[in-house]
Amino acid sequence: QVQLVESGGGLVQAGDSLRLSCAASGRTFSSYAMGWFRQAPGKEREFVAAITWSGVYADSVKGRFTISRDNAKNTVYLQMNSLKPEDTAVYYCAARRTLSVSATMSSYSYWGQGTQVTVSS
């Protein structure tokens, strides 16, 4: 069982940066692939980024967002630069017990409660 707690969301202006964190419980964090998803109002939840040893990204965030992990701290991060109003969403951290990345929500077994990111124009 893995529990995930996101933090770092907030209200920023377009062009600003934010770093989201996701702290995971458990002793086998390094055995999990980690992902970030987001859900904007009235839209379906969508893939943002995922990582095992290296990151993969949705086209909409490639070059602006960076996913990283610190296995010693059981934490995964999402550095978000050059934020746009269309990045406004609730951001969710997710974990899957396999060392392969996936952009498919249903392949993740564990989810955090989400953190709100609002980007004003």
Side-chain angles (χ1 to χ4, degrees):
Q1 189 77 7
V2 175
Q3 293 183 327
L4 305 173
V5 179
E6 301 98 333
S7 61
L11 172 63
V12 298
Q13 293 187 331
D16 285 351
S17 298
L18 272 179
R19 189 177 79 157
L20 305 182
S21 300
C22 172
S25 64
R27 302 180 180 178
T28 58
F29 177 74
S30 60
S31 301
Y32 288 78
M34 302 298 297
W36 285 98
F37 292 78
R38 67 186 181 186
Q39 187 165 17
K43 295 188 177 181
E44 294 186 351
R45 196 171 298 189
E46 65 177 6
F47 171 75
V48 175
I51 187 169
T52 50
W53 298 282
S54 60
V56 295
Y57 301 90
D59 287 345
S60 59
V61 306
K62 201 172 293 183
R64 299 188 298 121
F65 290 12
T66 303
I67 188 171
S68 61
R69 66 190 297 164
D70 186 336
N71 289 338
K73 295 183 177 179
N74 279 16
T75 302
V76 62
Y77 305 97
L78 186 68
Q79 177 66 44
M80 305 185 295
N81 299 329
S82 303
L83 282 161
K84 304 175 181 180
E86 51 263 44
D87 294 319
T88 294
V90 177
Y91 283 72
Y92 297 90
C93 174
R96 61 195 297 256
R97 192 165 185 178
T98 177
L99 289 177
S100 63
V101 293
S102 172
T104 304
M105 281 200 313
S106 60
S107 69
Y108 289 81
S109 301
Y110 305 100
W111 291 84
Q113 81 290 349
T115 186
Q116 176 71 47
V117 172
T118 303
V119 184
S120 64
S121 57

